[in-house]
Amino acid sequence: MQQDTPLIETRQLKKLFKVGGGAMLHAVDGIDLKIYEGETIGVVGESGCGKSTLGRSILRLIEPTSGEVLYNGQNIVGLGSRQMRALRKELQIIFQDPYASIDPRKSVIEVIAEYMLIHKMHKSRTETYARAAELMDLVGLARRYANSYPHELDGGRRQRIGIARALSLNPRFIVCDEPVSALDVSIQAQILNLLMDLGEELHLTYMFVTHDLSVVKHISSRIMVMYLGRCVELADSDELFAHPLHPYTKALLAAIPEPDLAKRDVDFVTIRGEVSSPINVKPGCRFAGRCDFCTEACTQADIPLIEAEPNHLVACTLHRQAQEAGKERT
Amino acid sequence: MKDTILEIKDLSVIYKTDLETVEAVNGISLTIGKGKTYGLVGETGAGKTTTALSILRLLPAATGRVLGGSIQFDGEDVLSLSESDMCALRGRRIAMVFQDPMTSLNPVMTVGDQIAEALLVHDRKMGKEEVERRVEETLSMVGILPSRKIEYPHQFSGGMKQRVVIAMALACEPELLIADEPTTALDVTIQAQVLMMIKELRNRLGTSMLMITHDLGIVAKICDDVGVMYAGEIVESGSVEDIFSPGRHHPYTEGLFGSIPDLKSRARRLTPIAGLMPDPTALPQGCVFAPRCKKCQERCKTVRPKAVTEGTHRIACHLYGGQAAGSAQGISGGQDAFRRKEEQ
């Protein structure tokens, strides 16, 4: 998996929003992330942690405040709109709400063909529409829906339109922004399987943004856990679930109700309090106020990500101390 | 009969417009014991919320209509009560918590006033001091500082708002609490807090509950009995043990379990249910699940299956219809969905 140039790399990516009175909302606060070709990286966190803003900043759908986004080693922040437009073909997004992200006045086939027409992918309209019909087959939409309008279809089918549209430009990298959270469980499973199959078939690289840990576990090879604009932990999917290191990740895992009667009488280990405000944040660990292991060191300076174990990064003083103690011994 | 708080028998509800008739609930029966929690599980459009609204007689007056069946609450027939009797029941003895805390609170009233309103509607003579005391008590019960009663809903976060809604529902100490997806709009860590609180309050106050959810994890955590609803019918019901143990299950229940991403499984692919819910304006003639069922046979398409009961466990499926209840060994239904758990 570890090739030399990542497909996407962010360096100290930041997005701050002005919120009046000179205050700043730190939505994404210095994220360093490398995404390699062919992998699926999951980004998990609760609402307001900046995961969607991160996804959109990488695609420059939201202009980052500072930092770099490298695509194939080239910094795309600051590129002109013409150059960016050429890149848009390769960088696509699937949105959360299939009800809101599709033009209600276009038929299914028109929605799917639209991007290809804009980018003049094919010589003629006939060819474009033939390709759109192929895409419908690819995502499992019966061709009889070609002339239906989005409101006539259910959520699962509408999300398939969104996927077909994203694939129409032969992208290499797709940000999936909560693509299944508006869907019922049985439909959710269909769409997840579809995304995984397409990923393998077309050799796609995904960034999968979601609040649902069990979904991300299924689809991702690596997972990044975000809390208030910061990456608190980054590890291989299996490793993260087997050995979570950060107290927040542990709490997140413990909070999932499992459909298992053996766990019935085990109480949730709930973390107290709620996510604090992302406006004018104080230095130090963002999770300190809710953390049972909070020490003085946690609130003094920002906690850097360290490699606690091979390929397992965590931003927590607990593990920094453990590592330093280890170093002294050796 | 003394131990049941709510008994629904053969309830059918339709939504009728000039253009079409939606068969939302088709002859469901369920019983909630005193102090017990009944989980009604199913996907969007299964008829869960319609069932809840029928109990409170809150169906939209223009379109919703109860076609048949009965709803007995503590021995009284809810469907034949007068509107004023119904008002006395609603909120006082049966309360409901809606899914979306953002829209179930009045944005221009302080939360304290909203809880006080619920109290005063049912007891106009309650003194001012008594009301204040009860408001503060209820707020601290759900883990909100009583001093926050003068704040408005927008000053609360999503999880806190849902606590306020629950506080309002519990203010009059109802005998039955209907919770319609109370945690769906919340983040997992906040969901865990709210669920623990609901569980704790229920045990302390002895409230019976109808818990509507699509999340089998929540059912496993807090329900005593379960009904799995699909296209307006309860296709399988029983105690949590009946539903969650391996053995005979309705193919839809198996499908639901197969669709959940399992945290411990290493399997990469999920096993979803193929196809979609049937159109409620044109339900299939036979079993409602037949068009999506892997084990569908000829008679499933034409004959509605009768429910087979084995103790508390009830399944409406032709697979189990032929045999006498209890003697059907070796039917492997249910094994697929549970194999993963057994491996551990």
Side-chain angles (χ1 to χ4, degrees):
Chain A
M1 189 63 80
Q2 305 290 327
Q3 302 132 344
D4 8 41
T5 329
L7 185 68
I8 296 277
E9 182 177 356
T10 69
R11 288 188 185 157
Q12 279 303 307
L13 190 68
K14 281 192 186 182
K15 177 64 204 179
L16 312 180
F17 292 102
K18 279 195 188 119
V19 285
M24 288 302 229
L25 186 150
H26 296 240
V28 174
D29 203 358
I31 295 282
D32 292 300
L33 178 65
K34 290 187 173 113
I35 306 173
Y36 293 94
E37 181 135 32
E39 79 168 337
T40 298
I41 186 146
V43 177
V44 221
E46 295 180 276
S47 33
C49 73
K51 53 191 190 304
S52 289
T53 309
L54 174 66
R56 285 168 199 213
S57 304
I58 289 176
L59 301 184
R60 285 187 61 206
L61 293 177
I62 295 176
E63 203 58 47
T65 310
S66 66
E68 292 177 2
V69 177
L70 279 71
Y71 173 63
N72 266 339
Q74 181 199 9
N75 186 7
I76 61 169
V77 177
L79 281 187
S81 60
R82 186 165 304 193
Q83 288 162 297
M84 201 57 218
R85 191 171 197 182
L87 282 179
R88 291 249 177 264
K89 275 194 248 181
E90 292 168 38
L91 309 169
Q92 279 296 317
I93 182 165
I94 298 167
F95 292 99
Q96 167 170 10
D97 188 353
Y99 297 82
S101 56
I102 291 173
D103 187 344
R105 308 209 301 177
K106 284 197 160 74
S107 68
V108 170
I109 196 99
E110 282 172 335
V111 171
I112 300 175
E114 188 184 10
Y115 289 12
M116 293 189 278
L117 292 173
I118 292 172
H119 285 277
K120 302 191 176 66
M121 294 283 284
H122 302 281
K123 275 189 218 109
S124 64
R125 283 185 89 84
T126 336
E127 232 173 278
T128 308
Y129 279 89
R131 174 70 187 142
E134 272 174 41
L135 284 163
M136 286 183 72
D137 295 342
L138 187 68
V139 300
L141 263 178
R143 287 198 186 189
R144 66 172 183 277
Y145 294 115
N147 296 314
S148 306
Y149 284 86
H151 74 268
E152 297 173 79
L153 307 182
D154 60 279
R157 289 216 177 90
R158 239 177 287 191
Q159 198 53 289
R160 287 178 197 263
I161 304 177
I163 296 171
R165 178 172 67 172
L167 291 175
S168 66
L169 302 174
N170 305 324
R172 291 175 69 191
F173 176 67
I174 302 181
V175 172
C176 305
D177 191 358
E178 304 257 17
V180 295
S181 48
L183 307 175
D184 273 318
V185 269
S186 71
I187 308 299
Q188 181 176 323
Q190 292 175 5
I191 297 292
L192 285 177
N193 279 347
L194 173 70
L195 284 171
M196 286 192 272
D197 292 345
L198 290 171
E200 271 166 41
E201 217 173 299
L202 307 172
H203 202 62
L204 298 171
T205 307
Y206 288 124
M207 176 167 149
F208 208 93
V209 175
T210 177
H211 67 281
D212 191 334
L213 274 163
S214 40
V215 164
V216 99
K217 155 103 202 255
H218 245 269
I219 199 163
S220 320
S221 40
R222 283 194 302 151
I223 295 176
M224 172 163 105
V225 183
M226 275 183 85
Y227 190 80
L228 278 180
R230 284 290 171 89
C231 167
V232 295
E233 190 161 357
L234 175 68
D236 283 346
S237 175
D238 291 337
E239 165 74 10
L240 187 87
F241 277 81
H243 309 287
L245 293 179
H246 199 280
Y248 177 65
T249 314
K250 287 181 186 167
L252 212 51
L253 288 174
I256 306 172
E258 283 179 69
D260 184 354
L261 275 194
K263 303 271 171 62
R264 182 177 168 84
D265 295 319
V266 184
D267 281 353
F268 292 117
V269 190
T270 53
I271 34 175
R272 59 203 150 83
E274 292 172 23
V275 180
S276 54
S277 164
I279 298 168
N280 289 346
V281 278
K282 292 186 203 83
C285 176
R286 304 286 188 266
F287 186 61
R290 301 172 79 186
C291 185
D292 287 333
F293 307 97
C294 178
T295 60
E296 217 175 291
C298 298
T299 51
Q300 283 169 348
D302 285 346
I303 316 297
L305 268 180
I306 53 151
E307 192 161 8
E309 274 155 40
N311 291 324
H312 192 148
L313 303 177
V314 64
C316 181
T317 48
L318 286 177
H319 300 284
R320 190 166 59 177
Q321 286 155 359
Q323 201 181 42
E324 274 163 12
K327 265 186 204 146
E328 275 164 28
R329 259 182 269 126
T330 46
Chain B
M1 275 322 255
K2 274 271 153 29
D3 326 328
T4 46
I5 186 89
L6 186 84
E7 187 169 17
I8 299 181
K9 267 195 187 145
D10 292 321
L11 180 74
S12 296
V13 183
I14 55 162
Y15 292 108
K16 198 175 166 76
T17 63
D18 290 345
L19 294 173
E20 56 190 14
T21 305
V22 173
E23 296 177 46
V25 174
N26 304 309
I28 66 157
S29 302
L30 64 89
T31 309
I32 305 179
K34 272 200 176 126
K36 296 282 182 194
T37 299
Y38 190 99
L40 201 53
V41 201
E43 298 176 89
T44 319
K48 308 178 303 262
T49 303
T50 304
T51 307
L53 293 177
S54 318
I55 298 170
L56 286 165
R57 298 238 317 256
L58 286 174
L59 290 170
T63 51
R65 201 167 303 164
V66 175
L67 270 196
S70 69
I71 301 175
Q72 298 267 336
F73 172 72
D74 207 18
E76 266 181 298
D77 184 6
V78 173
L79 295 176
S80 61
L81 283 180
S82 71
E83 190 51 38
S84 63
D85 285 343
M86 202 58 222
C87 281
L89 195 71
R90 228 183 257 142
R92 173 71 191 84
R93 299 184 65 197
I94 310 179
M96 182 153 175
V97 173
F98 292 91
Q99 172 170 359
D100 188 355
M102 324 301 162
T103 53
S104 23
L105 291 169
N106 185 341
V108 295
M109 257 174 109
T110 66
V111 300
D113 285 348
Q114 295 190 49
I115 298 171
E117 187 186 26
L119 289 166
L120 286 168
V121 161
H122 293 288
D123 186 359
R124 280 167 208 280
K125 288 188 214 100
M126 197 181 278
K128 215 173 175 183
E129 276 167 27
E130 167 79 357
V131 171
E132 288 304 299
R133 193 182 57 79
R134 290 277 293 272
V135 167
E136 289 181 9
E137 250 178 42
T138 327
L139 277 177
S140 45
M141 191 168 73
V142 296
I144 299 178
L145 281 177
S147 57
R148 292 192 74 182
K149 68 181 177 187
I150 49 163
E151 290 183 18
Y152 289 88
H154 74 266
Q155 291 167 290
F156 289 80
S157 64
M160 279 302 190
K161 265 188 232 165
Q162 194 60 296
R163 284 171 193 255
V164 173
V165 175
I166 293 169
M168 274 168 75
L170 292 176
C172 292
E173 296 173 3
E175 290 147 69
L176 177 67
L177 179 69
I178 302 175
D180 188 1
E181 307 251 11
T183 56
T184 308
L186 309 176
D187 277 318
V188 270
T189 59
I190 307 299
Q191 163 172 297
Q193 289 174 1
V194 172
L195 283 179
M196 286 311 291
M197 186 195 83
I198 291 180
K199 198 174 175 177
E200 201 256 331
L201 287 177
R202 179 200 63 188
N203 294 347
R204 184 141 58 92
L205 306 174
T207 316
S208 316
M209 248 172 77
L210 176 64
M211 181 84 179
I212 295 174
T213 179
H214 65 271
D215 189 334
L216 285 163
I218 294 178
V219 173
K221 213 73 194 182
I222 66 175
C223 297
D224 302 301
D225 299 295
V226 189
V228 180
M229 216 170 166
Y230 183 78
E233 288 182 20
I234 293 184
V235 293
E236 180 170 354
S237 63
S239 65
V240 262
E241 288 81 13
D242 291 336
I243 305 292
F244 283 80
S245 345
R248 310 202 296 169
H249 289 286
H250 194 279
Y252 177 64
T253 314
E254 286 167 27
L256 266 189
F257 275 99
S259 302
I260 310 173
D262 191 328
L263 283 177
K264 291 194 207 73
S265 131
R266 301 205 164 237
R268 291 278 295 166
R269 280 188 72 85
L270 299 164
T271 41
I273 309 167
L276 303 164
M277 279 264 203
D279 180 356
T281 61
L283 288 177
Q285 196 193 351
C287 172
V288 279
F289 188 59
R292 297 174 78 182
C293 186
K294 277 189 208 146
K295 295 169 183 160
C296 177
Q297 303 155 1
E298 264 320 298
R299 63 175 168 167
C300 300
K301 292 176 191 157
T302 50
V303 187
R304 244 176 217 207
K306 279 214 179 68
V308 182
T309 313
E310 188 183 323
T312 50
H313 196 179
R314 183 181 156 279
I315 308 177
C317 179
H318 282 305
L319 277 181
Y320 314 116
Q323 286 109 339
S327 69
Q329 297 292 317
I331 290 178
S332 63
Q335 301 297 330
D336 299 350
F338 288 95
R339 195 182 304 134
R340 283 193 252 127
K341 288 206 185 81
E342 285 165 4
E343 277 170 7
Q344 294 153 30

